[in-house]
Structure formats: structure tokens, C-alpha cells
Amino acid sequence: MTTPATTGELTRAERLDRLPFTRRHTRLLVGSGIGWALDAMDVGLISFIMVVLAKQWGLSSGELSWVASIGFVGMAVGASIGGLLADRIGRRSVFALTLLVYGLATGAAALSTGLVMLLVLRFVIGLGLGAELPVASTLVSEYAPARIRGRVVVALESFWAVGWILAAIIGYQVVPASEDGWRWAFAVGVVPAAYALVVRFGLPESVRFLERRGRTEEAEAAVREFEESAGVEPVSSPPMPVAPKPSPAEVWSPALRVRTVSLWLVWFGVNFAYYGAFIWIPTFLVAQGFPVAKSFGFTLVITLAQLPGYAVAAVLVEVWGRRATLATFLAGSAVAAWAFGQAGTETSILVAGCALSFFNLGAWGALYAITPEIYPTWLRATGSGQATAFGRVASIAAPLLVPVLHEAGGTAVVFLVLALAFAVATVATFGLPERRGLALEE
């Protein structure tokens, strides 16, 4: 040990907050991030698979809408249940279980013999995926030092771009390569099932969760592992009271009501606009006369712009703060969505699409940074899961509504509505608290 012992009595949360970013933090971030990327890959693949299935199975636009939306129905249910379970049985256990569920279901989807079977399996996939995302961000936020917590959670969210890029590469190279290309794309989804074992035994459980459940010896051991990694001498910590069991109704208590309404509106607007756009972009490009391979190539280029969006947001959440960064990126998304709807040339499509990708995914990063900070520890995963679940209602509605809007007024009308959704979310950010650099509420 190289750092002298700290005098005084610190809580275990304070001991974690004082640490530098260590290899243990990196392991947690990358371990959670790989699961996040695999999730994104699954969501991204369906936008490419839809184009092929429309031809192979002769699906109508309404049937395609359900292929796109049914997974989000499962995600809405999964997010709500998963968050509640994470506050009751632990973040790590739920994270591993969700990876197992959606990994096996995605692999089984490769064997789909018709629309009904595919829809059932997409629903089950959604259950796992919806529960995993808020739980992973909660776990990472509870270990990240307070001064860089926002940046670390945005870095976690940036793995989404990695997964979506993998989906774009598979969609570009594998899906159109043969008649069974879409089946091979789904088969890759078995990977998360194997990775669930790594998560279950390789990642730590939340110290705050362990304390609130009276498992102080496990909590102390977890903190000491991180202190040892940082070369910091451990100090004594006072006992923490056992927390009450979380109730979904607690998010509507007078102290939390305004932030809950604001958070739900942001989640709804972002989900509606994001999935309304990115699930349908390859299909829209084909409808505009671009060959399938070229439309997939455009989508791959647009997807690459997600990475710098995350990088900039990761810096700004600690410089400007979470709320200002979120509002700025949402406003930029609104402008970019309108511009995409007006684009008519290859160049303007790519420029507007990349801008939309940059701002939209930067907004996602800031949103995931602020969401776990809204609620106290004993309610954190429950509150995050409920906000995510409400957002999934929008992700269900958007793929169903977009074809109707497109038929009524074309791409311009679709993206005007999506721009308005971003604008509403921008306004809602002003009801959120700013907790840059502050310890998480206990």
C-alpha cells in the first residue's frame, strides 16, 4: 500500500468516491459494456433483417412494424420488472439473468419458421434487453468516483455505438450475402448467453445494495478490493441502516414527483425519435430507390458518427453538467432530424444522418449519466427501470406510427414529428436536478 491511511470514519460509499479510476473500475466498465454492446447489436440487427424479411416472407408494412415494435413491448415489461428485482435481489444477478434470457432467445430466433414464432421470440428478447440496460448503468454509477461518475456512465453508454456498428457491419456483410443471412445474424446472439456466466462470477455486486440488505461483510470485501487496486489503506465505516423494500409508488412522492415527470418525458421523447428514425432508415433509403447494399452502407457510415457523439458528451457532462449537456444534444438532435427529412441528395443524407447520429447518441449518453442520480440508493434501480419502461412505450409506438406518417407525407413529415419529440424532451430537461460532482443520494 502506497497511500497513507485516511483519518476519521468514512462510509463505504465515501471510500469508493475518494478513489482514483483503477483497473478494477476498468474491468467493471468493460465487463458491463460488453453486455451493453451485445444488446445494441441485437437491436440494430433487426433494422437490417426487416428489409430482407419483407421480401422473403412478403410482409406488409403493418407486419414489419410489429417485427420492429414487439421487442420494445418486451423491453417495457423487462425494464420495469428488472429494476424492481435489482433493488431486491441485486444488480449483478439481474444483469446476468437478463443476458442469459435474451441471448438464448436471440439464438432461437435464427430458427424462426414464420412471423408468429419470430414475434414471440422478439418479445422474450425484449424482456431480457429491457431489464439489462438500467441495471448495468446503476451498477456502474454506484462504483464510479463522484467526480467522474458522469463520464464513466457515458463511457458505458458508448458501448452501445460499438454494438450498433457491429450490427451495421453484420447487416452490410452477412444479411444480404445469402438467403439465410438473416438467420446467421440472429445466431450471433447466442454469445450473450455464454457471457452471462462471466458477468455472474466476474463482476462485483453493488456495495450500496449489499449494505442496504445488511450484507456488510460482502460490502466491505468489495470496497477493499477497489482500495487495494488503488493502493489506498482501508478505514473503518459506520453501519448502514437496512433499507425499506422498494415500491414503484415511491417515485411519485412529493420530493421526487417533479424529477420523475421530467425524466419520464425525456425518456419518452428520446425513445420515440431514436427508434422512429434508426429502425426505419435502411427501409426508407431502399424506398427512395437506393439498392439494398448501398442503403446498408449509408447506414453503416451514419452509425459511425455515434462514437464522436459519445466522446464529446463524456467530456461535457463533467464540464457543463448533465442537464446542460443533455439539453444541448437534444436540441441538436431536433435540428438534425428536421434536416434529414429535407435531405434529397446522397451528400445531404449522409451529412444530416451523421449529425443526427452524433447528437442523438450524445444525448443518450447524458441521459444514462443523469438517470441513476435521480433517486436514492434503495429506489435507484426501481426508479431507473420505471423511467426506462415508460420510454419503451414510445419505442413501441414509434415503429408502428412511422409507416402511417410516411404514407401520409413521406420522409419529411416523419422526421418533422421526430424533431418535435426531441424538442419536447429538450424542454423537459429543465425539471431535472443537476448532480455533477456530488455523491449519490443514499
Side-chain angles (χ1 to χ4, degrees), residues 279-327:
I279 289 292
W280 285 100
I281 280 178
T283 303
F284 286 162
L285 292 175
V286 170
Q288 288 178 239
F290 293 104
V292 171
K294 193 165 191 176
S295 72
F296 285 6
F298 280 7
T299 305
L300 174 57
V301 173
I302 290 170
T303 302
L304 290 172
Q306 295 181 11
L307 288 174
Y310 283 124
V312 175
V315 174
L316 292 181
V317 289
E318 303 295 3
V319 177
W320 290 356
R322 284 80 156 119
R323 188 170 55 195
T325 302
L326 179 58

Side-chain angles (χ1 to χ4, degrees), residues 29-41 95 99 102 129 132-133 136 156 159-160 192 195 199:
L29 176 61
V30 174
S32 302
I34 290 173
W36 202 289
L38 293 170
D39 287 357
M41 185 179 70
F95 186 27
L99 285 170
Y102 102 81
L129 177 58
E132 188 270 328
L133 297 178
L156 170 67
F159 280 86
W160 184 269
Y195 185 66
V199 171

Side-chain angles (χ1 to χ4, degrees), residues 327-350:
T328 300
F329 275 80
L330 286 171
S333 299
V335 174
W338 176 84
F340 190 87
Q342 304 300 311
T345 66
E346 291 188 11
T347 301
S348 61
I349 288 172
L350 285 174

Side-chain angles (χ1 to χ4, degrees), residues 5 8 22 25 31 38 50 52 75-76 88 118-119 144 154 163 185 188 202 241 275 351 356 361 376 381 404-405 437:
T22 69
H25 290 101
L38 293 170
M50 282 166 52
V52 174
M75 289 171 76
R88 294 196 175 209
L118 179 61
L119 291 177
V154 175
V188 177
Y275 290 107
V351 170
L356 178 59
L361 276 297
V404 177
L405 293 173

